[in-house]
Amino acid sequence: MKMTLHYLAILLAVALSPLYSAIGAQPPNIQPPNIQPPNIVLILADDAGYADFGFHGSREIRSPRLDTFANQAMLFEQAYVSAAVCGPSRAGLLTGRYQQRFGFEENNVPGYMSESCLPDDEMGLPLDQATVADYLKSRGYRTALIGKWHQGNADRFHPMNRGFDEFYGFRGGARSYFAFGEGNLNHRPEDRLERGLGEFAESGKYLTDAFADETVAFIERNQSRPFFVLLSFNAVHNPMQAEASDLKEFPNLSGKRRQLAAMTLSMDRACGRVLDKLNELNLDQNTIVVFTNDNGGPSDANASDNSPLSGTKANHLEGGIRVPFLMRWPGVTKPGSKYTHPISMLDLLPTFVAAAGGNLSELKPIDGVDLRPFVEGRDNARPHQTLYWKKESRAAIRDGDWKLLRFPDRPAELYNISLDIAESDNLADQHPDKVRAMYEQLFEWELTLVRPQWQLKREYEGAAMKRMDDYRK
């Protein structure tokens, strides 16, 4: 109301300016209000299935708070990650660049599954790469990473050395959802909960709840200034560990599927608590909130469902790289709307920096784009004509609605994604010229990349191909 009255006063002063001139008086000096740039809350799930949310049609797994949020937000039907596994996907999100450009190919850190001349502690997001937190911090934002990091275990890779003012979480890629015992040193240091830089701080709470508590507290502390918080859940990544009270909600399910449903419900409830805090503090109308996931669900490991997509985590079929994505941006996104063109997680950095008032031309070379003109309808083109994925000899390219997949053990496959979302009708034999052209286009992109700094052991490459074949539609 105050802002509205202020603008009315400005309009009235403009309308009366001829009168002031006629009587030889000066009009009042009314300055525009100081409008704070939007707060940004990015909520990232881990290993969730594409179909395992109510807003994507699930009837088994419940997500009531996110379903309500979806009605307030824009749902992006074709949101892609830049990698089919956790660590490199997050590296792309954090930098707005294809992670292959700086050697963080689709292989996680540290290297227990990798072959590399680098010691484990040398593996991490390279220090010469600026993060979204770096950019937002330079714009006056208070920044926090709460939850899973997975971008290197050494102190120099620590979130608080990568643009985040605050950190509460763990440095590794997965850990127990239940607190480690007092003085228990039978766990890797990167698996223990940490507050700040090096202060171990197990909470005694179920981990998803602990991360929600910390996010709510961060918002409360920083409500009077612009803030950016990345709530980086490890849910629903294995180990499959749910609380008994949530398991009781799904008596008709069993095994991993029941655990997954209970863990998803817990994460949904945690998201609701964060959204409630924004509402309580009257911050919801000046806060961008995004909910998404870091890669496709690993159906064999956590019983996730990526329907109607083929494939899973760790491969380049749609089920490995297309993820749920909701954005609520008051005044920009229309509640209950859908965006149909492909976008990439690489777009989050430039979108957030532009929203914060930053000049995108001053950013280091990035591959993402500012989504605001597209979601507002000012630009009806595709944000990306072409998207790429690469993991050693495996790779994929999407150009328009055509998608080519390259494999180490079989001929390339070609699909029209607009007509065949499940990638069940291989058109390579019918369009050999298209295959050749896209193969060359993919190779031209690869020539712009650097060599991977570490690679997956070959045995895991074989397992990834088998998983892909096992979970084709």
Side-chain angles (χ1 to χ4, degrees), residues 143-443:
T143 60
L145 186 288
I146 297 171
K148 170 176 170 175
W149 176 232
H150 211 194
Q151 296 297 298
N153 296 337
D155 285 352
R156 63 184 175 280
F157 299 123
H158 192 276
M160 292 182 66
N161 291 323
R162 308 311 303 271
F164 291 98
D165 295 305
E166 300 183 28
F167 173 62
Y168 180 79
F170 62 100
R171 303 189 195 191
R175 57 150 282 164
S176 171
Y177 287 80
F178 298 103
F180 298 156
E182 186 74 26
N184 186 342
L185 301 180
N186 295 325
H187 299 276
R188 298 175 302 175
E190 62 266 28
D191 294 342
R192 300 178 212 154
L193 284 183
E194 181 180 1
R195 185 184 304 283
L197 179 55
E199 178 187 347
F200 293 122
E202 290 291 332
S203 70
K205 302 172 184 175
Y206 185 70
L207 196 56
T208 303
D209 293 335
F211 292 156
D213 288 346
E214 292 292 327
T215 304
V216 165
F218 173 81
I219 292 171
E220 287 181 329
R221 288 196 304 273
N222 294 283
Q223 58 185 290
S224 61
R225 61 181 298 179
F227 60 79
F228 166 60
V229 56
L230 171 50
L231 172 50
S232 178
F233 287 117
N234 59 315
V236 289
H237 195 294
N238 63 6
M240 306 310 292
Q241 297 173 337
E243 293 190 290
S245 58
D246 287 323
L247 287 169
K248 290 178 181 178
E249 295 291 322
F250 301 94
N252 296 326
L253 299 179
S254 61
K256 291 181 180 179
R257 188 69 179 165
R258 187 182 186 191
Q259 295 278 352
L260 178 75
M263 293 165 71
T264 302
L265 185 62
S266 174
M267 179 176 65
D268 179 80
R269 190 168 56 244
C271 292
R273 290 184 53 214
V274 173
L275 295 169
D276 287 345
K277 181 55 63 173
L278 294 173
N279 294 340
E280 175 191 324
L281 299 176
N282 296 316
L283 298 174
D284 54 307
Q285 291 304 303
N286 194 38
T287 301
I288 302 169
V289 181
V290 173
F291 173 83
T292 188
N293 185 45
D294 65 349
N295 47 247
S299 303
D300 52 344
N302 70 358
S304 52
D305 181 2
N306 295 313
S307 297
L309 312 176
S310 282
T312 68
K313 175 181 179 177
N315 62 69
H316 297 141
L317 292 172
E318 293 289 287
I321 55 177
R322 190 188 292 204
V323 294
F325 189 103
L326 301 170
M327 176 187 283
R328 187 181 73 186
W329 188 347
V332 176
T333 58
K334 183 179 178 181
S337 61
K338 293 183 179 181
Y339 188 77
T340 58
H341 288 318
I343 67 160
S344 170
M345 293 305 126
L346 305 177
D347 301 331
L348 288 175
L349 183 148
T351 300
F352 292 164
V353 171
N359 185 346
L360 298 187
S361 66
E362 298 177 356
L363 299 182
K364 292 183 178 180
I366 58 172
D367 296 297
V369 301
D370 177 12
L371 291 174
R372 180 168 182 168
F374 300 96
V375 301
E376 284 186 326
R378 291 185 282 118
D379 190 334
N380 293 319
R382 292 171 179 255
H384 300 275
Q385 173 63 26
T386 311
L387 292 169
Y388 302 93
W389 298 267
K390 180 182 182 297
K391 185 182 189 312
E392 301 177 23
S393 57
R394 287 190 282 135
I397 174 175
R398 176 166 175 173
D399 187 63
D401 289 328
W402 289 97
K403 181 179 174 185
L404 177 86
L405 293 110
R406 188 183 71 196
F407 304 108
D409 64 342
R410 68 198 71 179
E413 298 176 3
L414 179 71
Y415 299 97
N416 187 318
I417 298 301
S418 65
L419 303 175
D420 181 19
I421 192 174
E423 295 168 289
S424 58
D425 185 15
N426 180 10
L427 302 175
D429 290 343
Q430 299 177 38
H431 299 277
D433 291 341
K434 174 66 73 174
V435 171
R436 185 177 300 109
M438 293 184 70
Y439 211 104
E440 292 176 356
Q441 189 178 3
L442 175 59
F443 180 64

Side-chain angles (χ1 to χ4, degrees), residues 69-87:
F69 176 67
N71 291 328
Q72 304 164 353
M74 175 176 281
L75 185 151
F76 291 69
E77 293 184 334
Q78 300 191 74
Y80 288 98
V81 290
S82 61
V85 292
C86 305

